[in-house]
Amino acid sequence: MSTFLGMPRPMPARTSGDPLRWGPTFPEAAHESLGNDQLRANLGRATRTIRDKRLRVTAELPDWEQLRDAGAAMKADSMDRLPELLVQLEENVTARGGVVHWARDAAEANRIVTDLVRATGEQEVVKVKSMATQEIGLNEHLAGQDITATETDLAELIVQLAGDQPSHILVPAIHRNREEIRQVFAAGMPDAPAHLTDDPHALTAAARAHLRAKFLSAKVAVSGANLAIAETGTVGVFESEGNGRMCLTLPETLITVMGIEKVLPAFQDLEVFAQLLPRSSTGERMNPYTTLWTGVTPGDGPQEFHLVLLDNGRTKALADDVGRQALHCIRCSACLNVCPVYEHTGGHAYGSVYPGPIGAILTPLLNGTGTGPEPT
């Protein structure tokens, strides 16, 4: 009789067909990244800037560590009561005119969203930055169904136009500098000015003009969610550019794809997370745009709201007494900005939607580690 000790076997080659993973192994990809001087310069400059901003604004609060502890306690409580909180969330979203859909995996979530878009008769959607939709490969799935999804977050738009992959949780195009972005816009944005420069104001103006037309014509939007409140059925998005506000208020139909770990028990819990997230992620005292919506309000905002609750390995992670702590993550990206490995290799080396320290834990929790045979 032999005993299997549970050591993971090497993962099979990862392909673009897996939305959560892609590319070569980390050692191979990291070796290539370390030889790219421009990439390392871009990353070093950007992570230092974000890191310094975060240190300044968190130092202003005498109770910063207590806020972090409070947030961790709330997340732990939510994970302990997740089944009942999700049922409560569904009841309150439904009572306020929304529709809740449950998706066990990426395939089911993609099918649900595709069917919802098709039901509207539209073939284009605008998107608010959403790691959950990147996790399931929604854009690629929609493209295969002749539905065009346009990313409206500036960094996500850069990545999309370049045919690239995001490399940071908060700043997906952190690996590119201004001149590279100018080249991406000139090549991939049909309405870009003929003599576009790499001046930040010019680049922003070009993106604004391009996206404004999309906002004003789109009938369907797809979003992620930073959190949802079980007590009220409220869903929230925190963002810095205003594109989220446009996507969440102008279209007739709003489809939100949210990982089930994002639910919080009470509306009062927002008090803690509205302080934690902006300071820890972008180094801002307040989030420039915080959009909260509760179901459907006649004559105000989208008149159809669908909330897709995504599992995709989360209940499996929840069953792991240690690994479940990764579900406490609020995606602030602070761990990436202090990680010397990430700063030198960048996010692409991790071959996952979730890069850096948290990604190295979260990705195998959600997608599996390729463990060997069952004990005999």
Side-chain angles (χ1 to χ4, degrees):
M1 180 175 179
S2 61
T3 302
F4 175 64
L5 299 180
M7 294 297 291
R9 66 175 184 263
M11 287 296 297
R14 291 171 280 183
T15 68
S16 59
D18 184 345
L20 190 55
R21 281 194 172 108
W22 62 78
T25 63
F26 180 82
E28 294 171 316
H31 181 76
E32 181 178 348
S33 297
L34 289 171
N36 187 331
D37 293 338
Q38 183 63 65
L39 172 67
R40 294 176 66 183
N42 295 348
L43 287 169
R45 186 181 310 110
T47 53
R48 282 194 301 273
T49 299
I50 300 172
R51 194 164 59 231
D52 291 345
K53 285 179 64 180
R54 180 182 184 275
L55 285 172
R56 284 196 300 271
V57 297
T58 57
E60 296 173 353
L61 296 182
D63 62 344
W64 174 249
E65 292 303 324
Q66 288 82 1
L67 275 170
R68 293 183 66 197
D69 290 342
M74 290 174 182
K75 291 294 289 185
D77 175 57
S78 296
M79 295 305 99
D80 288 342
R81 299 193 289 131
L82 189 57
E84 66 181 80
L85 291 177
L86 289 172
V87 170
Q88 185 183 14
L89 176 65
E90 180 183 31
E91 291 172 348
N92 285 316
V93 169
T94 303
R96 289 159 177 81
V99 181
V100 175
H101 309 261
W102 299 77
R104 287 167 291 190
D105 53 27
E108 191 164 11
N110 285 331
R111 178 185 58 76
I112 290 169
V113 175
T114 301
D115 289 347
L116 290 173
V117 175
R118 280 178 172 162
T120 68
E122 296 296 315
Q123 290 186 296
E124 293 189 15
V125 302
V126 288
K127 288 186 71 234
V128 187
K129 181 176 181 291
S130 164
M131 300 205 73
T133 60
Q134 290 171 357
E135 175 187 324
I136 63 177
L138 179 62
N139 286 10
E140 294 79 7
H141 180 82
L142 290 177
Q145 303 298 315
D146 296 323
I147 299 171
T148 302
T150 299
E151 297 288 352
T152 64
D153 174 85
L154 179 57
E156 287 288 350
L157 177 65
I158 294 165
V159 169
Q160 185 178 44
L161 291 176
D164 204 351
Q165 295 284 1
S167 64
H168 191 278
I169 288 176
L170 183 71
V171 196
I174 196 172
H175 55 289
R176 294 189 178 275
N177 61 25
R178 293 184 309 186
E179 174 54 26
E180 291 174 305
I181 294 169
R182 185 199 68 77
Q183 294 175 17
V184 168
F185 280 7
M189 190 184 291
D191 50 359
H195 303 291
L196 183 64
T197 70
D198 66 357
D199 176 72
H201 296 288
L203 294 172
T204 304
R208 182 184 296 118
H210 174 74
L211 291 173
R212 186 59 58 90
K214 301 289 186 182
F215 291 137
L216 294 177
S217 63
K219 298 291 193 300
V220 182
V222 176
S223 85
N226 289 102
L227 46 81
I229 307 300
E231 178 184 55
T232 60
T234 301
V235 184
V237 166
F238 293 60
E239 45 104 8
S240 299
E241 299 174 18
N243 64 298
R245 180 66 55 81
M246 302 285 273
C247 288
L248 296 164
T249 57
L250 291 179
E252 297 171 0
T253 300
L254 172 60
I255 305 166
T256 297
V257 181
M258 184 189 84
I260 56 175
E261 82 280 14
K262 297 294 184 70
V263 65
L264 294 171
F267 197 84
Q268 188 175 356
D269 296 339
L270 280 169
E271 178 185 356
V272 171
F273 289 93
Q275 295 182 75
L276 284 175
L277 191 56
R279 290 178 186 264
S280 198
S281 57
T282 56
E284 296 168 298
R285 296 179 182 89
M286 261 184 86
N287 218 62
Y289 295 89
T290 300
T291 305
L292 303 173
W293 66 98
T294 306
V296 173
T297 301
D300 184 10
Q303 296 302 288
E304 284 191 36
F305 170 53
H306 298 270
L307 176 62
V308 181
L309 296 175
L310 176 68
D311 186 332
N312 206 36
R314 285 162 174 79
T315 53
K316 180 178 63 178
L318 190 67
D320 186 317
D321 290 340
V322 177
R324 69 188 301 172
Q325 295 177 55
L327 298 180
H328 296 185
C329 174
I330 60 173
R331 309 289 190 270
C332 71
S333 78
C335 65
L336 280 69
N337 301 324
V338 299
C339 175
V341 176
Y342 176 87
E343 185 174 336
H344 285 83
T345 65
H348 288 162
Y350 292 84
S352 172
V353 167
Y354 302 111
I358 185 60
I361 299 169
L362 188 60
T363 300
L365 273 172
L366 296 179
N367 213 30
T369 57
T371 52
E374 294 296 319
T376 58

